[in-house]
Amino acid sequence: YLPVMCDKYIIAKGGNMFLAGPALVKAAIGQNIDSETLGGAETHSSISGTADYHEEDDISGLDRIKSILSHINFKESTTINKGESVDPKNDCNDLLSLFDPHNPSSYNILELISRLVDGSKFIEYKKDYGKTIICGTAKIGGYNIGIVANQKNNVKTKLNEIQMGGVIYSDSADKAARFIMNCNQDKIPLLFLHDVNGFMVGRDAEWGGIAKDGAKLVNVISNSTVPKISIIIGGSYGAGNYAMSGRAYNPRFLYAWPSAKIAVMGGDQAAKTLSTIKISKMNNVSDKMKEEIYLEIKNQYKKQSDPRYAAARLWIDEIINPLDTRKIIIESLDVVKNEGEIKNATYGVLQV
């Protein structure tokens, strides 16, 4: 248990960890399995999600320790330390070509992140596990920062299961919760990049414990004490808005791109659900009337999910030009660095 009780867990290729080795497993339950499959580096970084970082060899593991230490804020006079700022290697002006605001269906959020962070360097956390949420540390404007972002590309797990982009599954919720706790311990501010449809639903999700894993993530975010900055770039729907530190959980700043959509659920889903309920209480409803009811609800949701509707009610602080995103993040960090001592986060009893 000792490696897993560490704050940061690095495993190198060829390393093994298990509660019982292959010989004992064979004797206890009659299962034949090799040590690599049972508890090797790939198993714990891709399937169990136990390891935080998977490295090629011991030297790479030592380099990873150096990079982790370089992203921890040790106590000084200001809340957050600032080092030398380096421009991203990838051009920020590419943001508009990577993300189509009129059809924000599928894209690689890592490409967007590489155009916001210093030197386009991003140290990804548990990169082979819970892949619908991307977590990792970087520097923006010289500031250490933890990033939590929704991956919009569909992904395949090590067990060959397809997970839909923008949806939070149990493994991604569990990963994000631990990462946020780590950032609170290391006193690193958090940046949330929203493009989330919500949590996964259905039998498999319920049986897999999506309720307890989602509750764990929301608990951790609601009790987080480090400065949080949220940017809604696409959709931010339902409980996914909570999970990505929406207005309810007091981010220091909450911005939105013009492409943002903020609602309990998407317009189509809401209109189908609410129109079905409304029509079920009526008699002799013609197809034309059904369509009118559906369109009325859909148009209402479309209007109310517009970022201008949210900004007018102070649900977001500002609608920003996507090309100004990095500059605005740095300006926000300049503000929060002097806010005083960051209290230790307490989370109560977490579901496991």
Side-chain angles (χ1 to χ4, degrees), residues 154-304:
N154 293 340
V155 299
K156 180 184 286 188
T157 70
K158 189 65 178 177
L159 300 176
N160 290 322
E161 298 169 343
I162 300 297
Q163 294 184 339
M164 294 182 288
V167 177
I168 303 174
Y169 292 77
S170 283
D171 54 357
S172 50
D174 187 63
K175 175 176 84 170
R178 178 171 168 82
F179 176 74
I180 292 165
M181 293 173 76
N182 263 333
C183 288
N184 273 270
Q185 180 164 282
D186 298 339
K187 308 302 181 188
I188 303 173
L190 286 159
L191 171 65
F192 293 86
L193 300 175
H194 299 220
D195 197 350
V196 58
N197 298 327
F199 288 89
M200 189 57 187
V201 297
R203 184 197 63 189
D204 292 343
E206 295 294 348
W207 289 10
I210 189 64
K212 67 178 178 65
D213 292 321
K216 185 193 308 180
L217 175 55
V218 173
N219 181 330
V220 167
I221 289 173
S222 64
N223 289 290
S224 178
T225 56
V226 296
K228 302 189 294 286
I229 300 168
S230 286
I231 303 177
I232 303 172
I233 61 179
S236 188
Y237 296 116
N241 179 270
Y242 295 156
M244 295 299 291
S245 191
R247 177 55 74 196
Y249 294 114
N250 296 322
R252 303 300 195 273
F253 297 97
L254 176 55
Y255 304 109
W257 285 9
S259 51
K261 295 286 185 290
I262 308 162
V264 173
M265 64 178 72
D268 286 336
Q269 297 94 322
K272 288 176 183 177
T273 303
L274 295 176
S275 62
T276 299
I277 294 172
K278 186 172 183 178
I279 292 167
S280 68
K281 299 177 181 179
M282 303 168 65
N283 295 320
N284 300 322
V285 183
S286 66
D287 290 341
K288 182 180 179 182
M289 184 174 291
K290 289 179 181 179
E291 183 69 13
E292 288 175 352
I293 293 171
Y294 169 80
L295 290 176
E296 180 184 0
I297 297 172
K298 181 179 178 180
N299 290 333
Q300 182 182 11
Y301 261 77
K302 182 178 180 181
K303 174 186 175 183
Q304 294 182 357

Side-chain angles (χ1 to χ4, degrees), residues 300-330:
Q300 182 182 11
Y301 261 77
K302 182 178 180 181
K303 174 186 175 183
Q304 294 182 357
S305 64
D306 190 290
R308 292 169 294 183
Y309 187 91
R313 288 155 182 80
L314 302 180
W315 297 345
I316 58 176
D317 297 317
E318 186 179 358
I319 300 172
I320 64 174
N321 184 336
L323 299 180
D324 294 334
T325 302
R326 174 178 159 85
K327 177 177 73 73
I328 288 172
I329 294 171
I330 294 171

